[in-house]
Amino acid sequence: MTVLLLVPLLLPFLAPTLARRTLDRLAPATALWVLTASALALAGACVAALGALVLTGLLKLPALATLGELIHPLHTPSDYLVLPAAVAATGVLTLSALTLARSAFRQTRAFRTARTQADRRPAAGDLCVVDSPHPDAYALPGRPHRIVVTTAMLRSLGPAEREALFAHERAHNRAGHHYFLAAAELAAHCHPALRAVRDSIRLAAERAADEAAATAVGDRRLIATAIARAALAGHDSPSTRPDFAPAATTGPVPQRVAALLAPFPARSRARRPAALLLVACTVLSIAAGATGVVDFHHEVEVAQGEEGP
């Protein structure tokens, strides 16, 4: 049981490399779904495994076993492995919960500030212009969706580039990319290796919006130019937007510009081994975690006297 519960804790370390290769070989919108679903599944399996390890360690203590209505403390093959693993799992879960709560509080406060600022300004359709000396533009979720742009950003772009930038941000709101970014942030707090996957998910969201904007505008070079100029204008400028509010200036902009200017590559099935490996890794993690949890439940039933050993 203990060995199976360690599998969901180790497999996520393979995910960052597989995520980057998946993004390179799949269409951005498809990669975004695959990466986000995999990250959430890996995070869920990790949390379930950590929880089972914690409960295993707790139920080995006579006092807690009595509270759990166990006839005898939980039996495991080796206390030398189980008890340290349970202590480590307790520490990891506690730290993850604290960092997640702090991040959620910070992001909620940033969202409320941005939303209040946008609602106080007159809007032209979905566009909200904020008077600020710092160039910034982003897609703000909520009801209704808004595209928030500062006056400094507007002054940095030409008329056609502004429309290209707005098309990019509208693509974010239309596709609900803030949900993917929020899911990536949640997964990143469940396992340290998933922080790198979060970066790949953010890039996938930006690439998907780039392609959607290029299709809407009909000029890939214009989208690339608008993104590059907006990124240069907003370089080192402070921003109060929440992390789950996507913006055209985030991510590795040179890589995105190069992808827009290059011919769109044909992606055949033969070029998708990384995506298949990522899915296989995710399925294996879920299967190992589920099997470990089922075995743990069986051991608890045995200790309760509901089943024979």
Side-chain angles (χ1 to χ4, degrees):
M1 174 187 71
T2 304
V3 174
L4 286 174
L5 292 177
L6 294 179
V7 173
L9 307 182
L10 298 176
L11 282 179
F13 287 105
L14 300 176
T17 300
L18 295 175
R20 288 191 295 270
R21 294 181 178 178
T22 296
L23 180 55
D24 290 339
R25 287 161 173 77
L26 293 181
T30 303
L32 180 60
W33 279 98
V34 172
L35 295 182
T36 306
S38 297
L40 285 176
L42 289 170
C46 175
V47 171
L50 289 172
L53 286 172
V54 170
L55 291 176
T56 300
L58 291 177
L59 292 179
K60 289 184 69 64
L61 302 176
L64 293 178
T66 301
L67 289 177
E69 299 181 352
L70 272 62
I71 297 175
H72 55 76
L74 203 64
H75 290 311
T76 54
S78 174
D79 292 345
Y80 295 104
L81 177 62
V82 172
L83 292 180
V87 172
T90 302
V92 170
L93 278 179
T94 302
L95 181 62
S96 296
L98 290 175
T99 57
L100 178 59
R102 185 173 65 176
S103 176
F105 176 77
R106 179 173 58 86
Q107 295 300 320
T108 300
R109 184 173 57 183
F111 173 72
R112 287 178 177 173
T113 300
R115 193 72 212 184
T116 300
Q117 184 183 47
D119 291 342
R120 288 176 178 174
R121 301 283 179 174
D126 61 348
L127 182 63
C128 176
V129 179
V130 176
D131 187 13
S132 173
H134 304 294
D136 196 14
Y138 56 92
L140 182 64
R143 294 184 179 179
H145 291 324
R146 296 290 190 201
I147 297 172
V148 179
V149 60
T150 64
T151 51
M153 179 62 80
L154 291 178
R155 288 193 296 267
S156 302
L157 304 176
E161 292 166 345
R162 294 174 191 171
E163 291 303 320
L165 183 65
F166 299 158
H168 175 97
E169 304 303 351
R170 288 192 179 99
H172 278 310
N173 279 334
R174 189 164 50 248
H177 286 164
H178 52 282
Y179 292 117
F180 295 91
L181 299 184
E185 187 69 21
L186 174 63
H189 287 281
C190 297
H191 195 287
L194 296 180
R195 296 172 187 170
V197 179
R198 173 184 58 189
D199 295 337
S200 294
I201 292 173
R202 288 175 175 172
L203 177 55
E206 294 304 324
R207 285 285 299 115
D210 290 343
E211 295 298 334
T215 300
V217 173
D219 189 340
R220 299 177 67 84
R221 181 172 293 275
L222 176 59
I223 298 296
T225 302
I227 290 172
R229 293 194 63 177
L232 288 173
H235 182 63
D236 290 336
S237 293
S239 176
T240 59
R241 65 174 179 264
D243 291 343
F244 58 82
T249 57
T250 59
V253 174
Q255 180 180 341
R256 293 166 51 203
V257 170
L260 283 167
L261 296 179
F264 198 79
R267 294 178 172 91
S268 63
R269 293 182 180 179
R271 298 186 64 195
R272 300 179 183 177
L276 295 177
L277 286 174
L278 180 61
V279 172
C281 179
T282 303
V283 171
L284 179 59
S285 180
I286 294 173
T291 303
V293 170
V294 169
D295 287 347
F296 164 75
H297 183 262
H298 174 73
E299 293 296 332
V300 170
E301 289 182 334
V302 171
Q304 290 176 331
E306 296 181 9
E307 291 189 14

